[in-house]
Amino acid sequence: MPEVRLTAALEEWVRAVGDARDQGYVFFDWLSAVDQHDDAEQPGLDVLCHLLDPTPSPERDQRTLLLRTRVADGAALRSITGVFAGAAWHERETHEMFGVEVEGFDDGSGLGMRPLLLPTGFEGHPLRKSFVLASRATKPWPGGKEPGEGHSTRSPSRRRVQAPGVPGPEWGSEDE
């Protein structure tokens, strides 16, 4: 059975997740984000929540649902830990890696939103497209060679693309 995909307005996020749970999508699978800051019309971060209905029926094994909402810069996502307690780890990771502000977060510890994976003092959000990876500035990107470059005599068949995290020329010089 194909996955159902729904988009919810940011202000309806918690209600949409709760409604899905009430409709049988009782298994919380994962929550993460996708950086959509290159969308000219509505830049921001898409937050995705994947849920499953594990109840089998004669015509299917299970149903899956992918809920999506767009979080603009400066806006905050309401926490779904009141609907699915297991979302706490995922919300912390999404906050840390993408910079999504989460309101009403409660994992039962009383410690609030805190670092999860990155070392203390780390600055930035490494899964955003705008995050510059220092290692990309010090050595060439392995995918930098296109068909036709190097030892091959064939002409290039694709246009050159800049990999995410590769700094632009204004970032610094290789001679430094």
Side-chain angles (χ1 to χ4, degrees), residues 87-104:
W89 191 95
H90 300 262
E91 288 180 349
R92 284 177 60 198
E93 178 190 38
T94 303
H95 168 74
E96 189 171 37
M97 295 296 174
F98 290 95
V100 173
E101 292 301 322
V102 182
E103 290 181 347

Side-chain angles (χ1 to χ4, degrees), residues 42-157:
Q42 190 182 7
L45 295 164
D46 278 357
V47 175
L48 304 128
C49 178
H50 193 249
L51 305 172
L52 289 91
D53 174 2
T55 310
S57 71
E59 61 274 350
R60 61 171 169 72
D61 290 330
Q62 66 183 10
R63 296 184 304 162
T64 61
L65 172 67
L66 183 67
L67 283 170
R68 174 188 308 255
T69 192
R70 179 71 52 97
V71 181
D73 282 339
L77 179 75
R78 293 287 306 155
S79 176
I80 60 168
T81 54
V83 181
F84 291 107
W89 191 95
H90 300 262
E91 288 180 349
R92 284 177 60 198
E93 178 190 38
T94 303
H95 168 74
E96 189 171 37
M97 295 296 174
F98 290 95
V100 173
E101 292 301 322
V102 182
E103 290 181 347
F105 174 82
D106 182 15
D107 64 354
S109 71
L111 299 174
M113 197 60 71
R114 60 201 182 278
L116 179 69
L117 301 170
L118 298 175
T120 304
F122 189 90
E123 292 184 21
H125 306 288
L127 294 183
R128 281 196 173 201
K129 293 176 184 174
S130 60
F131 187 81
V132 174
L133 300 171
S135 64
R136 299 274 199 219
T138 60
K139 62 182 180 179
W141 178 49
K145 289 192 176 184
E146 296 294 331
E149 293 181 347
H151 301 296
S152 174
T153 57
R154 298 183 320 170
S155 63
S157 60

Side-chain angles (χ1 to χ4, degrees), residues 3-30:
E3 178 176 72
V4 176
R5 296 172 184 227
L6 297 174
T7 301
L10 183 59
E11 57 275 0
E12 297 294 322
W13 176 246
V14 175
R15 185 195 55 77
V17 173
D19 288 351
R21 183 204 52 207
D22 296 344
Q23 293 170 16
Y25 293 96
V26 296
F27 183 86
F28 172 83
D29 190 18
W30 55 264

